[in-house]
Amino acid sequence: ENRNYLFRNPDNGRYYLGSRIAQLGNNIFSNLDICQIAQPFLRELCTKYNESVGIYQRNGDVRVCITRINSNQTLRSVLMIGATFSLTRGAAGRMLLAYASPEDQARLLTADPFTTVEALNEVRKNGYTISNGERNTAVESIAVPIFNANRGVDHALFMTGPAGRLDVQSKVEIIQALQDTALKISIHIIQTPDGIISREKRFRYSLLSCGPIRLPFSPSVQQSLHRSSQVNHDKYPHFAHQSSVLPI
């Protein structure tokens, strides 16, 4: 208690987790590769649109906010690192659920039939999703996928703000900016050696040998990524050394 790991409520005598535990939790998330990689891109998005942005990671049947930058506007959507929500509601949850296995989708939608498999397929096709008042009636969010080396999705990039305020700006522009940012983060993740290098060959093969890639990004983003994949394999034997030709 003296070191702030526990807090004792003087009114009822009960103990609760203290501020030191919350600090440790923030430190754990901040040390994740993706959080370190994403920070400059999140700051850029937040500065440009002055709305809260961040990343949710799927953890079993829920999503966890692992990093975020909050808007500095008086009226804003404040997000806490470590906050946990369902996969069936909200833009980021729906995006992660869209890339879950059919078995997981069926099980979660049976428990909470808020959306449908058909709607999730549409989310994958579009490459983005928007929620308005689903988890909180006063909040609107837009989310896009962050791909890993296997073209799977364990993380979703999102922007969130008070309902109606995102309409003041061009949602088409915001979606494009989110997709561009997600692409940059995806490429940086693939280049990191910790736990991803073993999948390098598979991803590089998919880029170099399968023709124009068809990730659910806008045509301009797809063309940019495809151009970045047209590298001399002999000159660049390791994908991690190709950052000079990536669209960052």
Side-chain angles (χ1 to χ4, degrees):
E1 184 177 355
N2 291 335
R3 296 185 178 183
N4 296 320
Y5 287 99
L6 292 175
F7 167 75
R8 184 176 182 273
N9 188 325
D11 296 329
N12 56 25
R14 293 182 178 180
Y15 282 92
Y16 302 88
L17 296 179
S19 59
R20 180 59 178 156
I21 297 296
Q23 182 182 358
L24 289 174
N26 285 344
N27 289 340
I28 290 172
F29 287 122
S30 65
N31 286 329
L32 293 175
D33 282 344
I34 187 172
C35 295
Q36 296 180 5
I37 289 168
Q39 282 306 302
F41 302 116
L42 295 180
R43 283 195 296 269
E44 183 180 352
L45 275 176
C46 186
T47 299
K48 183 174 182 179
Y49 296 101
N50 202 10
E51 297 291 359
S52 299
V53 296
I55 294 174
Y56 277 102
Q57 175 178 289
R58 183 183 174 188
N59 184 12
D61 291 348
V62 298
R63 54 186 166 109
V64 182
C65 181
I66 60 172
T67 186
R68 56 86 183 94
I69 297 180
N70 287 320
S71 165
N72 61 15
Q73 299 193 64
T74 302
L75 183 61
R76 59 185 173 177
S77 175
V78 177
L79 306 161
M80 301 299 294
I81 292 177
T84 302
F85 302 105
S86 72
L87 294 178
T88 53
R89 297 173 186 251
R94 186 159 54 250
M95 180 57 68
L96 293 171
L97 185 58
Y99 285 89
S101 68
E103 294 78 15
D104 285 347
Q105 290 180 358
R107 178 170 51 80
L108 291 171
L109 292 179
T110 298
D112 181 18
F114 184 79
T115 188
T116 64
V117 172
E118 291 74 21
L120 295 177
N121 291 337
E122 193 68 17
V123 167
R124 289 175 63 117
K125 177 182 177 181
N126 293 337
Y128 71 90
T129 185
I130 300 173
S131 67
N132 197 335
E134 293 181 12
R135 190 178 57 80
N136 185 319
T137 56
V139 174
E140 183 177 9
S141 298
I142 304 173
V144 300
I146 298 175
F147 288 88
N148 59 34
N150 293 324
R151 302 227 183 147
V153 173
D154 301 311
H155 301 89
L157 171 67
F158 67 89
M159 179 181 293
T160 184
R165 196 161 71 192
L166 294 182
D167 290 327
V168 176
Q169 308 181 69
S170 169
K171 282 187 179 177
V172 173
E173 178 187 333
I174 292 174
I175 292 167
Q176 180 69 64
L178 286 169
Q179 289 181 329
D180 289 348
T181 300
L183 172 61
K184 295 174 183 178
I185 295 172
S186 296
I187 293 174
H188 275 81
I189 291 172
I190 292 160
Q191 295 179 66
T192 60
D194 185 17
I196 298 179
I197 257 329
S198 63
R199 291 174 283 180
E200 174 203 337
K201 285 186 178 180
R202 188 186 312 176
F203 188 83
R204 186 174 64 220
Y205 178 83
S206 70
L207 288 179
L208 299 178
S209 305
C210 297
I213 61 173
R214 292 178 172 81
L215 299 178
F217 294 108
S218 66
S220 62
V221 178
Q222 291 189 35
Q223 291 170 9
S224 177
L225 181 54
H226 183 57
R227 284 196 301 271
S228 75
S229 71
Q230 306 306 302
V231 297
N232 186 311
H233 195 176
D234 295 328
K235 185 177 180 181
Y236 300 100
H238 300 292
F239 190 77
H241 296 160
Q242 297 172 12
S243 58
S244 62
V245 299
L246 294 174
I248 302 307

